[in-house]
């Protein structure tokens, strides 16, 4: 009896397929072996982390500790011997006087102090020309203040540039009435504008043109210098 093989049962036809499958499996195994990595499965203990959020930031500064100051130097006491030799003898003269000895009086010379008194504390206020007939010191003082204001108002010349710019205000002028009744040391104590200030100064200086002059203030019956401050109110009409 003759045996016959089926063409499908012939494995020689599938030799190439099996070879390719085997080659693929071998390469896959090699690739897996190369790429395979192992890791240590033990977990490291990093400790407990506590996070605290403060509402305010606290800044701590450390002061530099300075060394203690050195002790103060001790006073050195020099011992001086009791015995001191005097090169010259002290001569003590007698102050007793006899009845026949003439005693000369010591003259006391009063120093002429050139003091400047203020209007408030001077004993006798200055007298403006025309106020001599007032009955008492208070009336002469009020007359002085009124007359001096009227004189300055008449002699005040409003600067044209201040008039055009509409500048006005109160200028305080201070000055000294000398022993002879003249006016000196005229200056602005509080000003408004350079032009108005200068006009006020010139008006006060015009007091030197008075004839007769101002009678000076007096302290203990003697003429003295006196300081005075007057407001000059410059207003545009």
């Amino acid at each position: 009896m003759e045996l016959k093989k089926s063409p499908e049962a012939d494995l020689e036809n599938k030799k190439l397929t099996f070879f390719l499958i085997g080659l693929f499996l071998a390469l896959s195994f090699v690739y897996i072996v190369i790429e395979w990595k192992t890791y240590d499965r033990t977990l490291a203990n990093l400790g407990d982390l506590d996070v605290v959020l403060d509402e305010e930031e606290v800044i701590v500064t450390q002061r530099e500790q300075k060394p203690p100051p050195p002790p103060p130097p001790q006073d050195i006491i020099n011992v001086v011997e009791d015995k001191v030799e005097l090169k010259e003898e002290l001569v003590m003269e007698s102050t007793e006087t006899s009845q026949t000895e003439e005693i000369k009086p010591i003259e006391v010379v009063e120093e002429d102090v050139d003091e400047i008194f203020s209007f408030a504390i001077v004993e006798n206020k200055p007298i403006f020309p025309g106020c001599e007939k007032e009955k008492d010191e208070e009336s002469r003082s009020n007359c002085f203040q009124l007359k001096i204001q009227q004189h300055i108002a008449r002699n005040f010349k409003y600067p044209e540039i201040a008039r055009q710019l509409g500048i006005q205000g109160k200028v305080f002028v201070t000055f000294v009435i000398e022993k002879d009744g003249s006016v000196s040391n005229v200056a602005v104590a509080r000003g408004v504008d350079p032009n108005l200030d200068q006009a006020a100064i010139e008006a006060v200086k015009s007091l030197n043109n008075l004839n007769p002059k101002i009678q000076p203030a007096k302290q203990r019956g003697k003429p003295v210098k006196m300081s005075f401050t007057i407001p000059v109110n410059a207003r545009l009409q």
Side-chain angles (χ1 to χ4, degrees), residues 7-8 13 22 47 49 57-58 63 71 76 78 99 125 130 146 149 170:
E8 296 178 359
N13 296 332
L49 179 61
E57 182 181 3
V58 179
R63 296 183 178 178
I76 300 174
N78 295 328
Q99 296 180 355
K125 306 295 190 284
L146 178 61
Q149 290 176 359
K170 187 178 292 185

Side-chain angles (χ1 to χ4, degrees), residues 42-95:
T42 60
L43 297 177
N45 187 9
L46 299 178
D48 296 330
L49 179 61
D50 294 332
V51 179
V52 180
L53 298 178
D54 295 336
E55 294 182 358
E56 296 182 358
E57 182 181 3
V58 179
I59 302 175
V60 180
T61 58
Q62 183 177 1
R63 296 183 178 178
E64 182 180 358
Q65 296 181 355
K66 297 183 179 180
Q74 298 181 355
D75 296 335
I76 300 174
I77 302 175
N78 295 328
V79 179
V80 182
E81 297 181 357
D82 294 338
K83 296 181 181 180
V84 179
E85 296 182 359
L86 298 177
K87 294 182 180 180
E88 297 181 359
E89 294 182 359
L90 298 177
V91 179
M92 305 299 294
E93 295 182 354
S94 176
T95 58

Side-chain angles (χ1 to χ4, degrees), residues 173-192:
V173 182
T174 180
F175 58 94
V176 174
I177 299 177
E178 298 287 340
K179 295 178 181 179
D180 61 353
S182 62
V183 171
S184 65
N185 299 339
V186 184
V188 173
R190 188 174 68 188
V192 176

Side-chain angles (χ1 to χ4, degrees), residues 115-167:
E115 183 180 357
I116 300 177
F117 294 84
S118 66
F119 183 80
I121 66 173
V122 72
E123 291 180 357
N124 300 115
K125 306 295 190 284
I127 301 175
F128 200 90
C131 298
E132 301 89 348
K133 298 179 181 180
E134 296 294 331
K135 57 182 180 178
D136 53 19
E137 181 68 25
E138 184 179 358
S139 300
R140 286 190 291 269
S141 176
N142 295 334
C143 181
F144 169 82
Q145 297 182 63
L146 178 61
K147 293 289 186 181
I148 202 170
Q149 290 176 359
Q150 292 175 350
H151 175 86
I152 293 175
R154 287 194 301 267
N155 290 271
F156 181 83
K157 297 179 181 179
Y158 215 104
E160 185 62 29
I161 186 171
R163 189 188 304 275
Q164 293 177 0
L165 297 176
I167 300 173

